[in-house]
Amino acid sequence: MSSEDAVQIHDTLARYAHCIDNRDWDRLPSIFTADARFGSPGNYTASRDEISERIERVTPYHPHFTTDTVIARLPADSDGRERARSWSKYFIVRHDGSLASGDYLDEWIRTDQGWRIFQRRVSRGQRWENDPGAPPSATCR
């Protein structure tokens, strides 16, 4: 992964938190592909509109922070599009001051507008099945 590509992906991750926390849904195209999937296996959304609708239903909503991102290039898809994946930690600060954390496991596609998230798997501490660092494990509950 080139440093330029990594900077673009990190920038998009930062814009995600600002967009979601501020309910700035007009900016979703700068973060997700039109057919993006968001959620967890068996419980994915299928579009940017479904992503915003899903997040609007979260109450109470707590701001969140994305940290410790690692990025790896993947082989091109069957259409020849460049792909990457990232693994990030996130934490949220609840209104009572308590914290919660988990993982974002993202698959990226390079579009004409730049790197966009094609799939975001949100989990509470799981890793990619084939992660070279360690097998899947729960890091928090």
Side-chain angles (χ1 to χ4, degrees), residues 13-14 16-17 64-69 88-91 104 120:
L13 289 169
Y16 167 83
H64 66 286
F65 305 86
T66 307
T67 68
D68 305 331
T69 300
S88 305
K89 301 299 291 178
Y90 72 85
F91 69 95
Y104 291 139
R120 168 159 280 190

Side-chain angles (χ1 to χ4, degrees), residues 16-63:
Y16 167 83
H18 290 284
C19 171
I20 298 301
D21 288 353
N22 293 305
R23 304 297 202 260
D24 190 357
W25 306 129
D26 291 340
R27 294 189 187 258
L28 283 181
S30 71
I31 299 161
F32 291 101
T33 62
D35 58 346
R37 297 181 299 207
F38 177 96
S40 57
N43 189 22
Y44 284 112
T45 61
S47 70
R48 291 186 295 240
D49 287 341
E50 288 183 20
I51 292 170
S52 62
E53 291 167 7
R54 182 178 190 158
I55 293 170
E56 283 288 349
R57 291 191 303 265
V58 174
T59 58
Y61 183 81
H62 306 288

